[in-house]
Amino acid sequence: KGRINSCMGYLCKQDSCFEEALEFYLRASCAFKESGSEWYYAHNLLNVAEQYVNLGEYKNADSVLLLASNYDVDSAYYADIMDVKAIALYNQQIYDSALILLLSIKDYPRNIEAKSYSYLMIARCYNQLLKIDKAKKYAEYVITNSCNASFRSNAYYILIQSVEIEDNINQ
């Protein structure tokens, strides 16, 4: 039951139907908790928190992330929690705090795509803070290492923005 609801939540999230995704992820959480599967329950809490962030419900996201932080299921889990917290801060335009969180986890052992996503967010934060050279460095990592077309496209966009920002500063 939990896995089915989790898959449905993922499909809804991919279609940007965040309210529906949240409902499925909440159902999945209940099912995982009832089944006693701590790993699935803990990871699904991150999905719930992410949907709250997508809906702009930051207090609810913080509450779920606080609950999620009680679990220590694998080495990358803490970094995933920090990613969701950083996205919430970024969406609220608190770029310096988001950057601090992201930099604290940048060297955690994670798969290439998870690391690329964090690096993309770091580049976005640096770009917003007008630290162009640092933004470029992280965007170039994503372009070089990620297989995710969306991540690479966003990284190229950051490079283009960096050139435009530099031109505006130099004028």
Side-chain angles (χ1 to χ4, degrees), residues 20-169:
E20 292 83 359
L22 177 60
E23 288 300 318
F24 283 112
Y25 284 135
L26 288 170
R27 289 182 201 160
S29 288
C30 290
F32 289 138
K33 190 172 186 177
E34 288 172 8
S35 74
S37 178
E38 186 176 281
W39 190 92
Y40 283 110
Y41 176 66
H43 279 276
N44 196 71
L45 288 173
L46 298 177
N47 293 327
V48 171
E50 184 182 358
Q51 294 323 298
Y52 278 130
V53 169
N54 288 336
L55 294 168
E57 297 179 24
Y58 302 111
K59 287 184 181 182
N60 289 335
D62 286 340
S63 296
V64 174
L65 288 170
L66 183 61
L67 177 60
S69 67
N70 291 321
Y71 295 91
D72 185 23
V73 294
D74 57 40
S75 62
Y77 185 71
Y78 175 76
D80 292 341
I81 291 172
M82 293 299 108
D83 270 343
V84 177
K85 286 183 180 184
I87 293 166
L89 292 168
Y90 182 88
N91 288 351
Q92 295 173 78
Q93 299 179 348
I94 308 172
Y95 305 119
D96 52 348
S97 295
L99 182 60
I100 290 168
L101 287 178
L102 292 163
L103 290 173
S104 75
I105 60 167
K106 76 178 182 72
D107 294 323
Y108 268 61
R110 301 169 80 190
N111 68 45
I112 292 294
E113 295 311 323
K115 188 172 188 171
S116 292
Y117 183 74
S118 289
Y119 276 36
L120 180 60
M121 290 303 298
I122 290 169
R124 286 179 177 168
C125 290
Y126 275 133
N127 215 29
Q128 292 295 332
L129 296 169
L130 300 177
K131 296 183 178 184
I132 308 308
D133 289 338
K134 291 183 179 185
K136 284 181 185 178
K137 174 181 139 184
Y138 287 96
E140 288 169 352
Y141 173 90
V142 174
I143 292 166
T144 303
N145 294 291
S146 179
C147 294
N148 184 309
S150 176
F151 292 175
R152 292 173 57 126
S153 174
N154 280 286
Y156 278 118
Y157 182 72
I158 288 169
L159 289 180
I160 292 167
Q161 275 186 321
S162 297
V163 170
E164 291 173 356
I165 291 170
E166 284 178 331
D167 286 346
N168 288 340
I169 290 172

